[in-house]
């Protein structure tokens, strides 16, 4: 399970402040579990860890079929419709195992022409994901990919396309039914950024070869553990720390990882926190760093810049693989003091040193640790953070499950593009 090291948080939040706000955090959790309060119609994500085995089986079968019949997968979606899958795949899969590419998460012609070029002579599969079925970025990329499949003149082309969308409405649903491709449903009561444990995240993961039932098991255990109404529930402590620090002028939360393979997980978390809590003038700005890379870039600002940051370290203790620093007789680089040590041991010391340095630099820091990065642990982390931002959001009195602000750029872009009817 995840463990919480509260670091130096007690220098910023007193025990009595924690005691006073704990009942509020428990009430927020209670309202989620009992499906009450603002946005309660979008709490279907709480049911996802316990989806029936036959649904998981269907996803796994489809994953296996794609792996057998195609040589790579292109996941086409934006925001909550791709970030979770990308996070899990980057954390858990070797690139060479079964390549998974991502399209439709930007409007760059260079990005998409490079991708199309790479796919030209390959029997690629496309998994197009959009709950609304009308998202411009996704639809454009899907059109480009369909066009390439058409040019490849494949008599079984429709078997290479899978759609994941709303069970009843939207342009993608209609298109999928018309061209007769496999479709998986996104439950109506699950929003994009909470959909990683639905087919949105699980199908791409299954194609990539991740044992999705293990991820769901981890999520189910986490759901049980982190919905306990007790002061030993670390999810509640993390959620209320974020809430209280915001009231004390903290404006930014940096999620710092020492595992580059967790970079996309940080991107998933940024969307989850930003879109859920950035409302009504509030919310911590979610940022991330990948250490030790960023110690040579953002480290200076973290150490000595403006003190409005909470740093949450996301640490995994045991690497899945180890490398040992070799001994060299000449020792010209003076590195023999590290010979025989593993990179994992050195990385751990880098984390400990960084945390101490940032504490001395007067940043509130806390650490969330997992034993190692496994499908189970990923399932746990997804649920842990989904619960935490929901509780912090509810404590702040906002609806964590809508995203009205996202429409503003769309309206203006459509007007500029002269979209009919806008
Ligand atoms: O979290 C969300 O709801 C959003 O980020 C959506 O996932 C994103 O805008 C994509 O929407 P759709 O799945 O409708 O294409």
């Amino acid at each position: 399970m995840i463990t919480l090291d509260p670091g130096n948080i007690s220098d910023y939040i007193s025990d009595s402040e924690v005691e006073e706000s704990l009942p509020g955090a428990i009430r927020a959790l209670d309202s989620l579990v009992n499906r009450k309060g603002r946005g309660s119609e979008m709490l279907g994500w709480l049911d996802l860890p316990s989806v029936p085995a036959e649904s998981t089986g269907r996803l796994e079968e489809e994953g296996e079929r794609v792996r057998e019949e195609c040589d790579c997968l292109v996941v086409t979606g934006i925001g909550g419709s791709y970030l979770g899958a990308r996070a899990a795949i980057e954390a858990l899969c070797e690139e060479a195992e079964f390549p998974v590419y991502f399209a439709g998460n930007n409007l760059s012609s260079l990005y998409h022409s490079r991708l199309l070029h790479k796919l030209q002579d390959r029997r690629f599969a496309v998994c197009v994901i959009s709950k609304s079925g009308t998202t411009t970025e996704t639809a454009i990329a899907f059109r480009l990919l369909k066009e390439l499949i058409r040019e490849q003149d494949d008599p079984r082309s429709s078997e290479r396309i899978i759609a994941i969308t709303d069970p009843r409405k939207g342009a993608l649903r209609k298109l999928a039914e018309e061209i007769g491709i496999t479709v998986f449903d996104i439950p109506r009561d699950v929003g994009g950024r909470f959909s990683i444990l639905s087919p949105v995240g699980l199908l791409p993961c299954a194609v990539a070869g991740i044992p999705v039932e293990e991820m769901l098991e981890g999520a189910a255990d986490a759901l049980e553990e982190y919905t306990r109404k007790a002061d030993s529930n670390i999810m509640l402590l993390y959620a209320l720390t974020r809430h209280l620090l915001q009231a004390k002028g903290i404006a930014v939360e940096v999620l710092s990882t020492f595992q580059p393979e967790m970079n996309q997980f940080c991107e998933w978390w940024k969307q989850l926190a930003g879109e859920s809590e950035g409302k009504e003038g509030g919310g911590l700005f979610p940022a991330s760093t990948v250490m030790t890379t960023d110690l040579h870039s953002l480290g200076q600002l973290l150490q000595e810049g403006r003190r409005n940051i909470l740093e949450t370290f996301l640490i995994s203790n045991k690497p899945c693989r180890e490398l040992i620093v070799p001994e060299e007789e000449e020792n010209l680089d003076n590195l023999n003091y590290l010979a025989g040590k593993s990179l994992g041991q050195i990385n751990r010391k880098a984390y400990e040193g960084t945390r101490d340095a940032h504490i001395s630099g007067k940043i509130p820091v806390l650490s969330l640790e997992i034993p190692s990065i496994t499908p189970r642990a990923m399932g746990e982390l997804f649920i842990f953070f989904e619960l935490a931002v929901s509780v912090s959001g509810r404590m702040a009195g906002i609806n964590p499950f809508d995203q009205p602000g996202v429409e503003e750029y769309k309206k203006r872009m459509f007007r500029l593009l002269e979209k009919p009817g806008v």
Side-chain angles (χ1 to χ4, degrees):
M1 284 314 251
I2 302 166
T3 54
L4 170 82
D5 172 350
N8 63 346
I9 294 300
S10 59
D11 295 349
Y12 300 88
I13 301 172
S14 67
D15 287 352
S16 60
E17 283 174 308
V18 173
E19 253 166 57
E20 273 162 36
S21 46
L22 195 62
I26 292 180
R27 268 198 306 281
L29 176 61
D30 218 29
S31 71
L32 289 173
V33 173
N34 294 314
R35 322 279 165 126
K36 301 226 165 72
R38 285 177 82 182
S40 57
E41 69 287 356
M42 295 306 286
L43 288 172
W45 55 274
L46 289 164
D47 302 320
L48 295 176
S50 49
V51 319
E54 63 264 25
S55 313
T56 327
R58 188 179 162 227
L59 290 168
E60 281 177 328
E61 271 164 33
E62 188 64 5
E64 221 166 286
R65 182 188 71 77
V66 171
R67 283 163 77 85
E68 267 165 28
E69 295 177 7
C70 300
D71 47 30
C72 61
L73 172 73
V74 187
V75 176
T76 309
I78 195 165
S81 287
Y82 90 105
L83 282 162
R86 192 167 188 176
I89 291 169
E90 186 175 298
L92 298 167
C93 298
E94 302 280 332
E95 241 165 76
E97 273 176 17
F98 190 83
V100 180
Y101 302 105
F102 294 88
N105 55 65
N106 62 68
L107 289 167
S108 158
S109 48
L110 181 59
Y111 179 96
H112 286 95
S113 28
R114 280 181 178 159
L115 179 64
L116 293 171
H117 181 72
K118 214 178 309 187
L119 297 171
Q120 227 159 22
D121 301 319
R122 301 174 78 173
R123 192 164 198 273
F124 61 93
V126 177
C127 177
V128 55
I129 310 176
S130 176
K131 176 135 191 239
S132 61
T134 56
T135 301
T136 315
E137 291 87 338
T138 309
I140 292 176
F142 185 38
R143 227 183 224 215
L144 293 168
L145 290 160
K146 269 192 309 197
E147 181 66 17
L148 181 56
I149 293 182
R150 202 169 294 141
E151 281 167 19
Q152 289 179 337
D153 215 9
D154 181 349
R156 292 168 55 207
S157 60
S158 61
E159 291 168 25
R160 289 166 56 186
I161 307 174
I162 302 160
I164 305 183
T165 189
D166 184 278
R168 293 205 287 271
K169 61 176 181 57
L172 180 57
R173 180 96 223 169
K174 203 160 159 249
L175 180 153
E177 279 164 9
E178 216 132 284
I179 62 175
I181 55 174
T182 303
V183 190
F184 288 86
D185 295 345
I186 308 175
R188 304 210 79 188
D189 54 0
V190 176
R193 60 192 174 277
F194 290 86
S195 66
I196 165 66
L197 301 171
S198 77
V200 172
L202 297 183
L203 182 72
C205 285
V207 176
I210 294 172
V212 294
E213 74 291 349
E214 282 178 32
M215 205 152 89
L216 287 171
E217 277 164 24
D221 287 351
L223 194 64
E224 199 179 320
E225 174 68 18
Y226 303 125
T227 49
R228 283 185 308 112
K229 291 169 213 151
D231 56 6
S232 57
N233 180 342
I234 60 162
M235 182 283 294
L236 284 177
L237 295 176
Y238 170 62
L240 74 82
T241 299
R242 302 174 76 244
H243 177 71
L244 290 174
L245 285 177
Q246 218 189 131
K248 288 175 187 259
I250 294 292
V252 180
E253 180 177 6
V254 177
L255 191 65
S256 289
T257 175
F258 279 70
Q259 274 75 35
E261 64 274 23
M262 290 297 273
N263 184 27
Q264 285 298 328
F265 180 84
C266 295
E267 294 301 316
W268 170 85
W269 170 81
K270 275 151 75 170
Q271 192 226 359
L272 176 75
E275 232 173 60
S276 301
E277 297 177 287
K279 284 162 202 168
E280 301 178 24
L284 293 166
F285 186 91
S288 62
T289 63
V290 177
M291 308 299 199
T292 58
T293 313
D294 282 328
L295 289 171
H296 296 257
S297 95
L298 297 169
Q300 173 62 39
L301 187 142
L302 285 166
Q303 193 64 46
E304 296 180 354
R306 191 189 293 190
R307 304 295 74 179
N308 63 349
I309 296 171
L310 157 67
E311 186 172 27
T312 300
F313 287 103
L314 180 59
I315 298 302
S316 118
N317 285 319
K318 205 168 160 289
C320 299
R321 263 194 230 157
E322 263 308 6
L323 276 180
I324 305 293
V325 178
E327 173 109 30
E328 271 182 14
E329 209 176 307
E330 312 79 31
N331 194 26
L332 295 175
D333 51 11
N334 297 321
L335 211 63
N336 272 355
Y337 80 103
L338 293 177
K341 284 198 165 42
S342 70
L343 250 63
Q345 286 171 315
I346 300 168
N347 206 16
R348 176 83 201 178
K349 294 298 168 209
Y351 151 62
E352 288 169 9
T354 305
R355 186 191 54 187
D356 288 354
H358 292 177
I359 287 174
S360 79
K362 306 241 172 310
I363 292 193
V365 309
L366 60 89
S367 305
L368 296 166
E369 301 201 18
I370 50 167
S372 52
I373 302 167
T374 59
R376 243 180 178 285
M378 293 303 291
E380 266 181 50
L381 287 172
F382 286 129
I383 284 291
F384 178 90
F385 283 109
E386 286 177 355
L387 284 169
V389 301
S390 304
V391 168
S392 304
R394 280 272 166 96
M395 289 179 85
I398 52 106
N399 175 1
F401 309 111
D402 64 0
Q403 53 285 327
V406 179
E407 294 312 309
E408 283 307 313
Y409 98 91
K410 290 188 196 167
K411 271 189 243 160
R412 287 164 172 78
M413 176 180 78
F414 290 148
R415 220 172 287 141
L416 293 169
L417 289 170
E418 297 174 23
K419 182 178 176 176
V422 176

